Amino acid sequence: MIKVENLVKAFGPNRAVDDISFGVERGEVLGFIGPNGAGKSTTMRVVTGFYPPTAGRVTVGGFDVAENPLSAKRLIGYLPENAPGYADMTVHGFLSFAAELRGLRGDARKKAVVRAVETCFLDSVLYQTIDTLSKGYKHRACLAQSIIHDPDILILDEPTDGLDPNQKHEVRGLIKRMGEHKAIVFSTHILEEVEAACTRVIIIDRGKIVANGTPEELKARSEVAGAVRLKACGVTAAELNEKLSVLAARTEILSQDGAHVVARAYPRERGVNGAFAGHIAELAQRERWKLDEIHVEEGRLDEVFRAITLPDTVKGSHS
Amino acid sequence: MNAWANIKAITKRELGGYFTSPVAYVFLVIFLLLAGFFTFTVGNFFERGEASLMSFFTWHPWLYLFLVPAAGMRLWSEERRLGTLELLLTMPITTWQAIVGKFLASWLFLIIALGLTFPVWFTVNYFGSPDNGVIVAGYVGSALLSGTYLAISCMTSAMTRNQVISFIVSVMICLFLILAGFTPVTDLLTRWASPLFVQTIAAFSVMTHFEGFQRGVIDLRDVVFFVSLIGFALFTTGVIIRGHRAG
Ligand SMILES: Nc1ncnc2c1ncn2[C@@H]1O[C@H](COP(=O)(O)OP(=O)(O)O)[C@@H](O)[C@H]1O
Ligand SMILES: [Mg+2]
């Protein structure tokens, strides 16, 4: 539904978005992550038609955003960064206005407002002006505006920014539910959010895509992915290290206190599979260590994120 | 028509915004007080002994000089400051629909303010028998004048998110439009410049074109002058807004 081809957006000499390509289909939730200033918001602003692209092409539902902006914009619901709203309007007035600009009239408009209010839990503040709302409510008012016309495509720039943990959880759930029949792109810098709601992740850094895959694929790139973490009793760290060296490429002692040793063993061959853990379990049985805990690490997104977006890593080699 | 519905929605919202804020009422009170002050005190309304609103309309270019930029300065700078510009321009509307909608709302507000001066009109009709056609022409001219200043303020408010700068720049431009045809200034200019030059400059002045309306003459050329200034300023507003986004 969204197709971005070789998109470049420059502000003077500064290329905020530098040759980015990706696509999003219905039923997909694409998470955009990247450090501050990476170009996430700029990309979204081009996709929503707010900024014209410097080079490249964006099509939305088959309409070129530059050539046919109105048709493209009709398909999109957009939550801009920082959730702006007209300070002097009530939530109800604001949503009615949004519905009107979306071409909804009369009964259809009233219904749309009621539905958006319900979805975003805004009943209690319906007749409060936007400048008196707490940050969480202000965010949800703007989110309600973005879904007022039940769009096929949703672009959400940091939809959970400034929400409390419960609200974050609700919004994530909402995104996930809506993602089943819409195409959604949302940006965040909270990595667990990506794991909780996305079907696909793009990591963007300094205007370029440095990784693109499912959360699982990206996590598997983590150094710890496939390593086995164990907590053993009745063995010293040195002994554990020595015995594991037969199986593992390397063993890392994470902590030891009295009787317990917590260690992480890295397999000789990378990749997540159960065989390595099985071998360690057998070894433990033979050596009569008591294992309190053993599991295969999935890999951690934050680690991948840091590794790819660190200043000195080689760019592009991952994507 | 779709375009018209969008413009109407924006105008309605903007106008609603004026009347939910106390600033609008303060503005109206100041406007009416100043209009009265200029007319009755500076303009010697009663002493003139004429049944006309000449002393009322004469001051409008000066009255509007500060009040219209004050009413128009927030038009776009506020949208940019709040970030609602992004919301508005990613709606399925064109930039010019947004510009026209917002302009019309503010202009309506100024016309309402002007309409509230009706007691002055009652007064002259009570004391004498003025030519009401002349008065209507004066009101039309005054509305066009405020629309012109407003379009200029609209343009300057698109240039910056700082309302004070927007205000100052639009006052400067409006002041130029007055002085270019203000008799004391043109008299002074004729000492150094050729009459043709002075006339050309004066042709761009709102004073020159507002004059006819005060005398009760609605000249098509004067109307065209005001309308094209409004059109030009609004067009430039569009160029500025597009320019910001192009980066
Ligand atoms: N309107 C603008 N004018 C100039 N530079 C801009 C503008 N918008 C964004 N930038 C620059 O583009 C880069 C990317 O910004 P942004 O897309 O907001 O990043 P992110 O949303 O990933 O934090 C930044 O370096 C920022 O300074
Ligand atoms: Mg951003």
Side-chain angles (χ1 to χ4, degrees), chain B residues 80-139:
Chain B
R80 285 181 62 200
R81 200 179 58 77
L82 288 176
T84 45
L85 184 64
E86 197 170 339
L87 215 53
L88 190 62
L89 297 182
T90 51
M91 287 287 176
I93 61 166
T94 61
T95 306
W96 76 262
Q97 286 165 5
I99 292 172
V100 171
K102 285 173 77 72
F103 171 76
L104 280 183
S106 310
W107 199 15
L108 269 175
F109 175 70
L110 292 174
I111 288 171
I112 291 170
L114 180 62
L116 289 177
T117 61
F118 67 90
V120 188
W121 182 49
F122 281 2
T123 310
V124 280
N125 273 287
Y126 181 77
F127 287 116
S129 44
D131 183 340
N132 280 318
V134 174
I135 292 177
V136 169
Y139 271 111

Short mmCIF file of all heavy atoms in Angstrom, two decimals, chain B residues 80-139:
data_model
loop_
_atom_site.label_atom_id
_atom_site.label_comp_id
_atom_site.label_asym_id
_atom_site.label_seq_id
_atom_site.Cartn_x
_atom_site.Cartn_y
_atom_site.Cartn_z
N ARG B 80 2.19 27.11 12.90
CA ARG B 80 3.53 26.53 12.87
C ARG B 80 4.05 26.26 14.27
O ARG B 80 4.69 25.26 14.53
CB ARG B 80 4.48 27.47 12.13
CG ARG B 80 4.24 27.42 10.63
CD ARG B 80 5.18 28.31 9.89
NE ARG B 80 6.54 27.93 10.04
CZ ARG B 80 7.58 28.73 9.80
NH1 ARG B 80 7.37 29.95 9.40
NH2 ARG B 80 8.80 28.29 9.95
N ARG B 81 3.76 27.18 15.17
CA ARG B 81 4.23 27.03 16.54
C ARG B 81 3.60 25.80 17.21
O ARG B 81 4.27 25.01 17.85
CB ARG B 81 3.92 28.29 17.35
CG ARG B 81 4.73 28.47 18.60
CD ARG B 81 4.35 29.78 19.30
NE ARG B 81 2.93 29.82 19.65
CZ ARG B 81 2.39 29.17 20.69
NH1 ARG B 81 3.15 28.45 21.46
NH2 ARG B 81 1.10 29.26 20.92
N LEU B 82 2.30 25.64 17.00
CA LEU B 82 1.60 24.51 17.62
C LEU B 82 1.88 23.20 16.88
O LEU B 82 1.64 22.13 17.41
CB LEU B 82 0.09 24.75 17.61
CG LEU B 82 -0.48 25.78 18.56
CD1 LEU B 82 -1.98 25.94 18.32
CD2 LEU B 82 -0.22 25.39 20.00
N GLY B 83 2.34 23.29 15.64
CA GLY B 83 2.55 22.08 14.84
C GLY B 83 1.30 21.62 14.12
O GLY B 83 1.29 20.59 13.46
N THR B 84 0.21 22.40 14.26
CA THR B 84 -1.04 22.00 13.61
C THR B 84 -0.98 22.20 12.10
O THR B 84 -1.79 21.65 11.37
CB THR B 84 -2.23 22.81 14.16
OG1 THR B 84 -1.84 24.18 14.24
CG2 THR B 84 -2.62 22.32 15.53
N LEU B 85 0.02 22.97 11.65
CA LEU B 85 0.20 23.16 10.21
C LEU B 85 0.37 21.80 9.53
O LEU B 85 -0.18 21.54 8.46
CB LEU B 85 1.44 24.02 9.97
CG LEU B 85 1.71 24.39 8.52
CD1 LEU B 85 0.59 25.27 7.98
CD2 LEU B 85 3.04 25.11 8.37
N GLU B 86 1.13 20.95 10.21
CA GLU B 86 1.40 19.61 9.66
C GLU B 86 0.11 18.81 9.56
O GLU B 86 -0.12 18.09 8.60
CB GLU B 86 2.40 18.92 10.59
CG GLU B 86 3.08 17.74 9.98
CD GLU B 86 4.22 17.26 10.84
OE1 GLU B 86 4.74 18.03 11.68
OE2 GLU B 86 4.59 16.09 10.69
N LEU B 87 -0.71 18.98 10.57
CA LEU B 87 -1.99 18.28 10.60
C LEU B 87 -2.89 18.79 9.47
O LEU B 87 -3.48 18.02 8.72
CB LEU B 87 -2.64 18.62 11.95
CG LEU B 87 -3.48 17.59 12.65
CD1 LEU B 87 -2.72 16.31 12.81
CD2 LEU B 87 -3.86 18.14 14.02
N LEU B 88 -2.95 20.11 9.37
CA LEU B 88 -3.84 20.75 8.40
C LEU B 88 -3.44 20.40 6.97
O LEU B 88 -4.29 20.06 6.14
CB LEU B 88 -3.78 22.27 8.61
CG LEU B 88 -4.79 23.11 7.87
CD1 LEU B 88 -6.20 22.76 8.32
CD2 LEU B 88 -4.52 24.59 8.11
N LEU B 89 -2.14 20.46 6.70
CA LEU B 89 -1.70 20.29 5.31
C LEU B 89 -1.53 18.82 4.92
O LEU B 89 -1.21 18.52 3.77
CB LEU B 89 -0.42 21.08 5.06
CG LEU B 89 -0.58 22.60 5.22
CD1 LEU B 89 0.70 23.31 4.90
CD2 LEU B 89 -1.73 23.14 4.37
N THR B 90 -1.72 17.91 5.86
CA THR B 90 -1.73 16.49 5.47
C THR B 90 -3.17 15.98 5.38
O THR B 90 -3.40 14.80 5.16
CB THR B 90 -0.92 15.61 6.45
OG1 THR B 90 -1.35 15.87 7.76
CG2 THR B 90 0.55 15.91 6.33
N MET B 91 -4.12 16.89 5.58
CA MET B 91 -5.52 16.57 5.33
C MET B 91 -5.74 16.60 3.81
O MET B 91 -4.98 17.26 3.10
CB MET B 91 -6.42 17.61 5.99
CG MET B 91 -6.48 17.50 7.49
SD MET B 91 -7.46 16.07 7.94
CE MET B 91 -7.28 16.08 9.71
N PRO B 92 -6.79 15.96 3.33
CA PRO B 92 -7.00 15.99 1.88
C PRO B 92 -7.57 17.32 1.41
O PRO B 92 -8.68 17.39 0.88
CB PRO B 92 -7.98 14.83 1.64
CG PRO B 92 -8.68 14.65 2.93
CD PRO B 92 -7.74 15.08 4.01
N ILE B 93 -6.82 18.38 1.62
CA ILE B 93 -7.20 19.71 1.15
C ILE B 93 -5.98 20.32 0.47
O ILE B 93 -4.86 19.88 0.70
CB ILE B 93 -7.64 20.64 2.31
CG1 ILE B 93 -6.49 20.81 3.30
CG2 ILE B 93 -8.85 20.09 3.02
CD1 ILE B 93 -6.71 21.94 4.28
N THR B 94 -6.21 21.34 -0.35
CA THR B 94 -5.06 22.00 -0.98
C THR B 94 -4.61 23.15 -0.09
O THR B 94 -5.36 23.63 0.77
CB THR B 94 -5.43 22.56 -2.36
OG1 THR B 94 -6.47 23.52 -2.18
CG2 THR B 94 -5.94 21.46 -3.28
N THR B 95 -3.38 23.58 -0.32
CA THR B 95 -2.83 24.68 0.48
C THR B 95 -3.67 25.94 0.29
O THR B 95 -3.94 26.66 1.24
CB THR B 95 -1.37 24.96 0.07
OG1 THR B 95 -0.66 23.73 0.16
CG2 THR B 95 -0.73 25.97 0.98
N TRP B 96 -4.10 26.19 -0.94
CA TRP B 96 -4.85 27.44 -1.17
C TRP B 96 -6.20 27.40 -0.48
O TRP B 96 -6.70 28.42 -0.02
CB TRP B 96 -4.93 27.81 -2.64
CG TRP B 96 -5.89 27.03 -3.48
CD1 TRP B 96 -5.57 25.96 -4.27
CD2 TRP B 96 -7.30 27.25 -3.64
NE1 TRP B 96 -6.70 25.49 -4.88
CE2 TRP B 96 -7.77 26.26 -4.52
CE3 TRP B 96 -8.20 28.17 -3.10
CZ2 TRP B 96 -9.11 26.17 -4.89
CZ3 TRP B 96 -9.53 28.07 -3.47
CH2 TRP B 96 -9.98 27.09 -4.35
N GLN B 97 -6.81 26.23 -0.36
CA GLN B 97 -8.07 26.14 0.39
C GLN B 97 -7.84 26.54 1.85
O GLN B 97 -8.65 27.26 2.45
CB GLN B 97 -8.65 24.72 0.34
CG GLN B 97 -9.25 24.37 -1.01
CD GLN B 97 -9.49 22.87 -1.17
OE1 GLN B 97 -9.27 22.09 -0.25
NE2 GLN B 97 -9.92 22.48 -2.35
N ALA B 98 -6.73 26.08 2.40
CA ALA B 98 -6.42 26.43 3.78
C ALA B 98 -6.17 27.93 3.90
O ALA B 98 -6.67 28.58 4.83
CB ALA B 98 -5.19 25.65 4.26
N ILE B 99 -5.44 28.48 2.95
CA ILE B 99 -5.12 29.91 3.00
C ILE B 99 -6.40 30.76 2.88
O ILE B 99 -6.63 31.66 3.69
CB ILE B 99 -4.13 30.28 1.87
CG1 ILE B 99 -2.77 29.63 2.14
CG2 ILE B 99 -3.99 31.79 1.74
CD1 ILE B 99 -1.79 29.76 1.01
N VAL B 100 -7.21 30.44 1.91
CA VAL B 100 -8.45 31.20 1.71
C VAL B 100 -9.37 31.05 2.92
O VAL B 100 -9.95 32.02 3.40
CB VAL B 100 -9.16 30.77 0.41
CG1 VAL B 100 -10.53 31.40 0.31
CG2 VAL B 100 -8.32 31.16 -0.81
N GLY B 101 -9.48 29.83 3.42
CA GLY B 101 -10.36 29.59 4.57
C GLY B 101 -9.95 30.41 5.78
O GLY B 101 -10.79 31.04 6.43
N LYS B 102 -8.67 30.42 6.06
CA LYS B 102 -8.19 31.17 7.22
C LYS B 102 -8.32 32.67 7.01
O LYS B 102 -8.70 33.41 7.91
CB LYS B 102 -6.73 30.79 7.53
CG LYS B 102 -6.63 29.41 8.19
CD LYS B 102 -5.21 28.98 8.33
CE LYS B 102 -4.51 29.66 9.48
NZ LYS B 102 -4.97 29.16 10.79
N PHE B 103 -8.02 33.10 5.78
CA PHE B 103 -8.14 34.53 5.47
C PHE B 103 -9.58 34.99 5.62
O PHE B 103 -9.86 36.00 6.26
CB PHE B 103 -7.64 34.79 4.04
CG PHE B 103 -7.93 36.18 3.56
CD1 PHE B 103 -7.17 37.25 4.00
CD2 PHE B 103 -8.98 36.42 2.69
CE1 PHE B 103 -7.44 38.54 3.57
CE2 PHE B 103 -9.27 37.71 2.27
CZ PHE B 103 -8.50 38.77 2.71
N LEU B 104 -10.50 34.22 5.05
CA LEU B 104 -11.91 34.62 5.11
C LEU B 104 -12.40 34.74 6.55
O LEU B 104 -13.16 35.66 6.88
CB LEU B 104 -12.78 33.60 4.37
CG LEU B 104 -12.81 33.73 2.84
CD1 LEU B 104 -13.77 32.71 2.26
CD2 LEU B 104 -13.21 35.15 2.44
N ALA B 105 -11.96 33.81 7.40
CA ALA B 105 -12.39 33.86 8.79
C ALA B 105 -11.97 35.17 9.45
O ALA B 105 -12.77 35.84 10.09
CB ALA B 105 -11.82 32.67 9.56
N SER B 106 -10.69 35.52 9.25
CA SER B 106 -10.21 36.74 9.89
C SER B 106 -10.85 37.97 9.28
O SER B 106 -11.12 38.96 9.97
CB SER B 106 -8.69 36.86 9.74
OG SER B 106 -8.10 35.67 10.12
N TRP B 107 -11.08 37.90 8.00
CA TRP B 107 -11.70 39.05 7.34
C TRP B 107 -13.14 39.23 7.86
O TRP B 107 -13.56 40.34 8.17
CB TRP B 107 -11.67 38.87 5.82
CG TRP B 107 -11.87 40.16 5.09
CD1 TRP B 107 -11.77 41.42 5.60
CD2 TRP B 107 -12.19 40.31 3.70
NE1 TRP B 107 -12.01 42.36 4.62
CE2 TRP B 107 -12.26 41.70 3.44
CE3 TRP B 107 -12.41 39.41 2.64
CZ2 TRP B 107 -12.56 42.20 2.18
CZ3 TRP B 107 -12.69 39.92 1.38
CH2 TRP B 107 -12.77 41.31 1.16
N LEU B 108 -13.83 38.12 7.98
CA LEU B 108 -15.18 38.19 8.55
C LEU B 108 -15.16 38.82 9.93
O LEU B 108 -16.00 39.64 10.28
CB LEU B 108 -15.79 36.78 8.64
CG LEU B 108 -16.59 36.32 7.43
CD1 LEU B 108 -17.03 34.88 7.60
CD2 LEU B 108 -17.81 37.23 7.26
N PHE B 109 -14.17 38.42 10.70
CA PHE B 109 -14.04 38.97 12.04
C PHE B 109 -13.86 40.49 11.98
O PHE B 109 -14.51 41.24 12.72
CB PHE B 109 -12.86 38.31 12.76
CG PHE B 109 -12.58 38.89 14.10
CD1 PHE B 109 -13.46 38.67 15.16
CD2 PHE B 109 -11.46 39.66 14.33
CE1 PHE B 109 -13.21 39.21 16.41
CE2 PHE B 109 -11.20 40.21 15.57
CZ PHE B 109 -12.08 39.98 16.61
N LEU B 110 -13.00 40.95 11.07
CA LEU B 110 -12.77 42.39 10.94
C LEU B 110 -14.03 43.10 10.43
O LEU B 110 -14.32 44.24 10.83
CB LEU B 110 -11.61 42.65 9.97
CG LEU B 110 -10.23 42.21 10.49
CD1 LEU B 110 -9.19 42.37 9.41
CD2 LEU B 110 -9.85 43.03 11.73
N ILE B 111 -14.77 42.41 9.56
CA ILE B 111 -15.99 43.02 9.04
C ILE B 111 -17.04 43.11 10.15
O ILE B 111 -17.78 44.10 10.26
CB ILE B 111 -16.50 42.21 7.83
CG1 ILE B 111 -15.56 42.47 6.63
CG2 ILE B 111 -17.93 42.61 7.45
CD1 ILE B 111 -15.81 41.60 5.43
N ILE B 112 -17.05 42.10 11.01
CA ILE B 112 -17.96 42.16 12.16
C ILE B 112 -17.59 43.36 13.04
O ILE B 112 -18.46 44.13 13.48
CB ILE B 112 -17.91 40.85 12.98
CG1 ILE B 112 -18.55 39.71 12.17
CG2 ILE B 112 -18.62 41.01 14.33
CD1 ILE B 112 -18.35 38.34 12.76
N ALA B 113 -16.29 43.53 13.27
CA ALA B 113 -15.83 44.66 14.07
C ALA B 113 -16.29 45.98 13.44
O ALA B 113 -16.80 46.87 14.11
CB ALA B 113 -14.31 44.62 14.20
N LEU B 114 -16.11 46.06 12.13
CA LEU B 114 -16.52 47.26 11.41
C LEU B 114 -18.03 47.45 11.52
O LEU B 114 -18.52 48.57 11.74
CB LEU B 114 -16.09 47.14 9.94
CG LEU B 114 -16.43 48.29 9.01
CD1 LEU B 114 -15.73 49.57 9.46
CD2 LEU B 114 -16.03 47.95 7.57
N GLY B 115 -18.77 46.35 11.40
CA GLY B 115 -20.23 46.41 11.48
C GLY B 115 -20.70 46.94 12.84
O GLY B 115 -21.74 47.60 12.93
N LEU B 116 -19.91 46.66 13.87
CA LEU B 116 -20.30 47.10 15.21
C LEU B 116 -20.17 48.61 15.41
O LEU B 116 -20.53 49.14 16.45
CB LEU B 116 -19.47 46.35 16.28
CG LEU B 116 -19.83 44.87 16.43
CD1 LEU B 116 -18.92 44.20 17.45
CD2 LEU B 116 -21.29 44.71 16.86
N THR B 117 -19.66 49.30 14.41
CA THR B 117 -19.61 50.76 14.49
C THR B 117 -20.94 51.38 14.06
O THR B 117 -21.02 52.60 13.90
CB THR B 117 -18.48 51.34 13.61
OG1 THR B 117 -18.75 50.98 12.25
CG2 THR B 117 -17.12 50.81 14.01
N PHE B 118 -21.96 50.56 13.86
CA PHE B 118 -23.24 51.08 13.36
C PHE B 118 -23.82 52.24 14.18
O PHE B 118 -24.52 53.08 13.62
CB PHE B 118 -24.27 49.96 13.19
CG PHE B 118 -24.71 49.32 14.47
CD1 PHE B 118 -25.81 49.84 15.17
CD2 PHE B 118 -24.06 48.22 15.00
CE1 PHE B 118 -26.23 49.27 16.35
CE2 PHE B 118 -24.47 47.65 16.20
CZ PHE B 118 -25.55 48.17 16.87
N PRO B 119 -23.55 52.36 15.49
CA PRO B 119 -24.10 53.52 16.20
C PRO B 119 -23.66 54.84 15.58
O PRO B 119 -24.42 55.83 15.62
CB PRO B 119 -23.53 53.37 17.61
CG PRO B 119 -23.33 51.91 17.76
CD PRO B 119 -22.88 51.44 16.42
N VAL B 120 -22.47 54.90 15.01
CA VAL B 120 -22.01 56.13 14.37
C VAL B 120 -22.95 56.48 13.23
O VAL B 120 -23.33 57.64 13.04
CB VAL B 120 -20.57 55.95 13.81
CG1 VAL B 120 -20.03 57.30 13.34
CG2 VAL B 120 -19.67 55.33 14.84
N TRP B 121 -23.30 55.47 12.50
CA TRP B 121 -24.17 55.65 11.35
C TRP B 121 -25.57 56.12 11.81
O TRP B 121 -26.15 57.03 11.24
CB TRP B 121 -24.25 54.32 10.59
CG TRP B 121 -25.07 54.34 9.34
CD1 TRP B 121 -25.00 55.27 8.34
CD2 TRP B 121 -26.08 53.41 8.99
NE1 TRP B 121 -25.89 54.96 7.35
CE2 TRP B 121 -26.58 53.82 7.72
CE3 TRP B 121 -26.61 52.27 9.59
CZ2 TRP B 121 -27.59 53.13 7.07
CZ3 TRP B 121 -27.61 51.57 8.94
CH2 TRP B 121 -28.10 52.01 7.69
N PHE B 122 -26.05 55.49 12.90
CA PHE B 122 -27.33 55.92 13.48
C PHE B 122 -27.27 57.38 13.90
O PHE B 122 -28.19 58.15 13.67
CB PHE B 122 -27.68 55.08 14.72
CG PHE B 122 -28.24 53.73 14.39
CD1 PHE B 122 -28.38 53.30 13.07
CD2 PHE B 122 -28.65 52.87 15.41
CE1 PHE B 122 -28.90 52.05 12.78
CE2 PHE B 122 -29.17 51.62 15.12
CZ PHE B 122 -29.29 51.21 13.81
N THR B 123 -26.14 57.75 14.50
CA THR B 123 -25.99 59.10 15.01
C THR B 123 -26.14 60.15 13.91
O THR B 123 -26.91 61.10 14.07
CB THR B 123 -24.61 59.26 15.71
OG1 THR B 123 -24.46 58.18 16.61
CG2 THR B 123 -24.52 60.58 16.46
N VAL B 124 -25.41 59.92 12.79
CA VAL B 124 -25.54 60.93 11.72
C VAL B 124 -26.95 60.97 11.17
O VAL B 124 -27.44 62.03 10.79
CB VAL B 124 -24.57 60.72 10.52
CG1 VAL B 124 -23.20 61.24 10.86
CG2 VAL B 124 -24.54 59.30 10.06
N ASN B 125 -27.61 59.83 11.14
CA ASN B 125 -28.98 59.82 10.62
C ASN B 125 -29.95 60.47 11.59
O ASN B 125 -30.99 61.00 11.20
CB ASN B 125 -29.42 58.40 10.31
CG ASN B 125 -29.02 57.98 8.92
OD1 ASN B 125 -29.60 58.44 7.94
ND2 ASN B 125 -28.00 57.15 8.81
N TYR B 126 -29.58 60.45 12.87
CA TYR B 126 -30.42 61.05 13.89
C TYR B 126 -30.31 62.56 13.84
O TYR B 126 -31.30 63.29 13.88
CB TYR B 126 -30.02 60.51 15.27
CG TYR B 126 -30.84 61.04 16.40
CD1 TYR B 126 -32.14 60.54 16.64
CD2 TYR B 126 -30.34 62.03 17.25
CE1 TYR B 126 -32.89 61.03 17.68
CE2 TYR B 126 -31.09 62.52 18.30
CZ TYR B 126 -32.37 62.02 18.51
OH TYR B 126 -33.11 62.50 19.55
N PHE B 127 -29.06 63.05 13.69
CA PHE B 127 -28.83 64.49 13.71
C PHE B 127 -29.05 65.17 12.37
O PHE B 127 -29.26 66.37 12.31
CB PHE B 127 -27.41 64.79 14.22
CG PHE B 127 -27.26 64.57 15.69
CD1 PHE B 127 -26.42 63.59 16.20
CD2 PHE B 127 -27.98 65.35 16.60
CE1 PHE B 127 -26.28 63.39 17.55
CE2 PHE B 127 -27.85 65.15 17.96
CZ PHE B 127 -27.00 64.16 18.43
N GLY B 128 -28.93 64.46 11.32
CA GLY B 128 -29.06 65.10 10.01
C GLY B 128 -29.57 64.12 8.98
O GLY B 128 -30.08 63.06 9.34
N SER B 129 -29.46 64.48 7.72
CA SER B 129 -29.87 63.54 6.70
C SER B 129 -28.74 63.33 5.70
O SER B 129 -28.66 64.03 4.69
CB SER B 129 -31.13 64.03 5.99
OG SER B 129 -30.98 65.41 5.69
N PRO B 130 -27.81 62.42 6.08
CA PRO B 130 -26.65 62.17 5.22
C PRO B 130 -27.04 61.36 3.99
O PRO B 130 -28.12 60.79 3.94
CB PRO B 130 -25.74 61.35 6.12
CG PRO B 130 -26.68 60.59 6.99
CD PRO B 130 -27.86 61.48 7.22
N ASP B 131 -26.15 61.34 3.01
CA ASP B 131 -26.34 60.50 1.84
C ASP B 131 -25.89 59.09 2.23
O ASP B 131 -24.69 58.81 2.35
CB ASP B 131 -25.49 61.04 0.69
CG ASP B 131 -25.72 60.23 -0.58
OD1 ASP B 131 -26.21 59.08 -0.46
OD2 ASP B 131 -25.40 60.75 -1.66
N ASN B 132 -26.87 58.21 2.46
CA ASN B 132 -26.52 56.87 2.95
C ASN B 132 -25.80 56.03 1.90
O ASN B 132 -25.08 55.10 2.22
CB ASN B 132 -27.77 56.15 3.45
CG ASN B 132 -28.14 56.62 4.84
OD1 ASN B 132 -27.26 56.80 5.69
ND2 ASN B 132 -29.42 56.89 5.06
N GLY B 133 -25.95 56.37 0.62
CA GLY B 133 -25.19 55.69 -0.43
C GLY B 133 -23.70 55.92 -0.24
O GLY B 133 -22.89 55.00 -0.34
N VAL B 134 -23.34 57.15 0.09
CA VAL B 134 -21.93 57.48 0.33
C VAL B 134 -21.40 56.67 1.51
O VAL B 134 -20.29 56.14 1.48
CB VAL B 134 -21.78 58.99 0.61
CG1 VAL B 134 -20.35 59.33 1.01
CG2 VAL B 134 -22.20 59.80 -0.61
N ILE B 135 -22.25 56.55 2.53
CA ILE B 135 -21.82 55.81 3.73
C ILE B 135 -21.60 54.34 3.41
O ILE B 135 -20.60 53.74 3.83
CB ILE B 135 -22.84 56.01 4.87
CG1 ILE B 135 -22.78 57.48 5.31
CG2 ILE B 135 -22.54 55.09 6.03
CD1 ILE B 135 -23.80 57.84 6.37
N VAL B 136 -22.50 53.77 2.64
CA VAL B 136 -22.34 52.36 2.25
C VAL B 136 -21.03 52.18 1.48
O VAL B 136 -20.25 51.26 1.74
CB VAL B 136 -23.55 51.87 1.42
CG1 VAL B 136 -23.24 50.51 0.80
CG2 VAL B 136 -24.78 51.77 2.31
N ALA B 137 -20.76 53.10 0.55
CA ALA B 137 -19.52 53.03 -0.22
C ALA B 137 -18.32 53.10 0.73
O ALA B 137 -17.33 52.38 0.57
CB ALA B 137 -19.45 54.16 -1.23
N GLY B 138 -18.42 53.96 1.73
CA GLY B 138 -17.35 54.08 2.72
C GLY B 138 -17.12 52.76 3.44
O GLY B 138 -15.98 52.33 3.62
N TYR B 139 -18.21 52.11 3.84
CA TYR B 139 -18.09 50.83 4.52
C TYR B 139 -17.46 49.78 3.61
O TYR B 139 -16.59 49.01 4.03
CB TYR B 139 -19.45 50.34 5.03
CG TYR B 139 -19.75 50.84 6.44
CD1 TYR B 139 -20.76 51.77 6.68
CD2 TYR B 139 -19.03 50.35 7.51
CE1 TYR B 139 -21.03 52.23 7.96
CE2 TYR B 139 -19.30 50.79 8.80
CZ TYR B 139 -20.29 51.74 9.02
OH TYR B 139 -20.55 52.17 10.29
#
